[in-house]
Amino acid sequence: MGADADGSVRATGAVVDRIGAEVEIEELVIDPPAAGEVLVRIAASGVCHSDLWARDNGNWGAPFPMLLGHEGAGTVEAVGPGVDSPRVGDPVVLSWAVPCGVCGPCRRGVPRRCSHVWTQPARVRRARDAASLAGTLSLGTLATHTVVHAAQAIPMPAELPFREACLLGCGVSTGVGAAIQTARVWPGARVAVIGLGGIGLAALQGARIAGAEQLIAVDLAPRKLEWARRFGATDTVDASGVDAVAAVRELTGGDGVDVAFEATGVPEVVSQALAMLDYAGTAVAIGVPPIPSAVTLDWNGSDRSAYPRKTSLVITDGGDPIPSEDFPEMARWALEGKLDLGGMITRELALTDLEEAFRAMLSGEVIRSVVLFD
Ligand SMILES: [Zn+2]
Ligand SMILES: [Zn+2]
């Protein structure tokens, strides 16, 4: 690494050449940030399911080759013209979900429902053929360096370790945001979370922080139910042996829950979340679904179906954040011990071990693997 004569920086990153291709660790050349952009030296990057989803299904409209990673934290190393914040030397968490201020939802005053999809500045090239790389979800954090729009680099308290801070960039802000912003969980609410991977556990923590009274964790894996207990679940349902909807109803005296989060992306689980709600309950769909998929809604007019029960279904793909407000607040909760980030890191590894991180993620062995850079 180090700067070349033209001001470019040599870096290393995880690259996917085309949809479905194997991940390759490649040497990169990163051009200096232009107006409104920042160069960030990445210290830690979480490995998220959406990295694999993007490899196999496409990068939300961005071209390949793709620079993997979208859950990173590090230090601002250079800023382009006109950038007042962040400043060189600031610790930052990167966000793919910053409200743009100009789309329809932003203009009508609901920036948390912003429809903008960011594209990464074209500053990152693959060294061997100079191909321009587009980061996963506009960030490309599984690399020693990346360049993003300044608004996407959120200053963080220096006391929060990078290994924990990076989780705020996607998994934790998605789950916690789904509970606090999307569902507006209230003190005393009865909540179920289906799927206790990193995002489900973050939703569980968010609901706990919001004051939910009953927190029912539903999963097929005993290990994940054990994790859920550690993060505040009051009840667990092993859905490998019982009907999850019936079990949740039984645990709530027959009523069902006020809010049910589905954090699997499996369409049938969205239907289950809807079916386990009490009157006027809300199901929150978080998981990225397969293509194609469809959800069936029970609409038969009977007591338990959606229409007479005034059921809501809301969808979030990132916890509806305003990162400049939410990330520092979550960081404070972490520093106060309210939000357990450290407990969500099961493994720390090097960029060269990325395939192992993907394997462990798919097998459900880890809550989160975090890649650390020197
Ligand atoms: Zn917007
Ligand atoms: Zn993610």
Side-chain angles (χ1 to χ4, degrees):
M1 281 172 278
D4 287 2
D6 62 356
S8 64
V9 170
R10 292 273 162 173
T12 306
V15 176
V16 177
D17 188 61
R18 59 196 181 283
I19 289 184
E22 291 288 301
V23 177
E24 289 169 281
I25 306 303
E26 298 267 12
E27 195 183 337
L28 313 174
V29 178
I30 302 192
D31 295 328
E37 301 168 0
V38 296
L39 169 70
V40 178
R41 182 161 52 83
I42 301 293
S45 178
V47 180
C48 178
H49 264 110
S50 302
D51 291 312
L52 275 187
W53 195 97
R55 180 188 76 172
D56 296 334
N57 296 279
N59 184 14
W60 288 273
F64 279 66
M66 172 174 71
L67 180 62
L68 268 179
H70 61 280
E71 194 177 79
T75 305
V76 175
E77 205 161 81
V79 304
V83 174
D84 298 325
S85 174
R87 291 170 185 276
V88 171
D90 279 354
V92 291
V93 174
L94 305 189
S95 172
W96 53 267
V98 174
C100 70
V102 295
C103 72
C106 281
R107 274 186 286 119
R108 70 167 197 270
V110 282
R112 291 188 183 276
R113 301 304 274 176
C114 175
S115 62
H116 181 67
V117 178
W118 289 83
T119 49
Q120 183 167 29
R123 305 284 165 258
V124 184
R125 289 175 283 134
R126 184 162 56 190
R128 63 180 165 85
D129 61 358
S132 185
L133 306 181
T136 306
L137 284 161
S138 76
L139 298 178
T141 61
L142 283 166
T144 55
H145 298 72
T146 192
V147 173
V148 299
H149 299 282
Q152 293 182 278
I154 314 299
M156 297 301 294
E159 310 89 275
L160 190 66
F162 286 125
R163 60 191 282 279
E164 296 185 18
C166 70
L167 303 181
L168 298 177
C170 185
V172 166
S173 56
T174 295
V176 172
I180 291 176
Q181 301 301 341
T182 312
R184 303 248 160 216
V185 169
W186 58 91
R190 298 154 302 166
V191 168
V193 182
I194 315 173
L196 280 305
I199 286 177
L201 290 170
L204 189 79
Q205 291 210 63
R208 192 197 66 225
I209 290 167
E213 193 173 272
Q214 192 174 16
L215 287 159
I216 306 172
V218 183
D219 205 290
L220 302 167
R223 181 196 291 123
K224 295 189 177 181
L225 295 173
E226 230 175 270
W227 290 340
R229 289 245 178 230
R230 202 178 348 128
F231 290 102
T234 56
D235 304 273
T236 55
V237 173
D238 181 346
S240 66
V242 299
D243 174 53
V245 174
V248 167
R249 287 205 176 280
E250 199 181 310
L251 285 166
T252 50
D255 294 341
V257 287
D258 300 306
V259 182
F261 297 92
E262 102 56 45
T264 67
V266 177
E268 293 77 14
V269 177
V270 178
S271 302
Q272 283 185 331
L274 287 159
M276 63 177 61
L277 293 173
D278 193 4
Y279 184 83
T282 299
V284 183
I286 312 174
V288 181
I291 300 174
S293 54
V295 169
T296 306
L297 181 59
D298 186 11
W299 198 255
N300 61 16
S302 72
D303 288 357
R304 283 280 160 89
S305 85
Y307 180 84
R309 295 175 72 76
K310 298 188 180 169
T311 296
S312 297
L313 170 62
V314 290
I315 298 157
T316 182
D317 65 357
D320 299 326
I322 297 178
S324 58
E325 296 174 12
D326 301 354
F327 288 12
E329 182 172 49
M330 289 181 203
R332 203 164 51 244
W333 289 339
L335 291 169
E336 289 166 358
K338 275 204 241 174
L339 175 62
D340 182 359
L341 295 177
M344 299 190 73
I345 303 167
T346 319
R347 258 182 224 173
E348 296 174 331
L349 35 81
L351 188 63
T352 45
D353 298 327
L354 195 54
E355 284 296 346
E356 165 57 18
F358 285 143
R359 189 204 57 76
M361 179 173 72
L362 290 174
S363 71
E365 287 168 34
V366 293
I367 302 173
R368 262 298 192 261
S369 293
V370 171
V371 171
L372 297 179
F373 300 89
D374 317 318

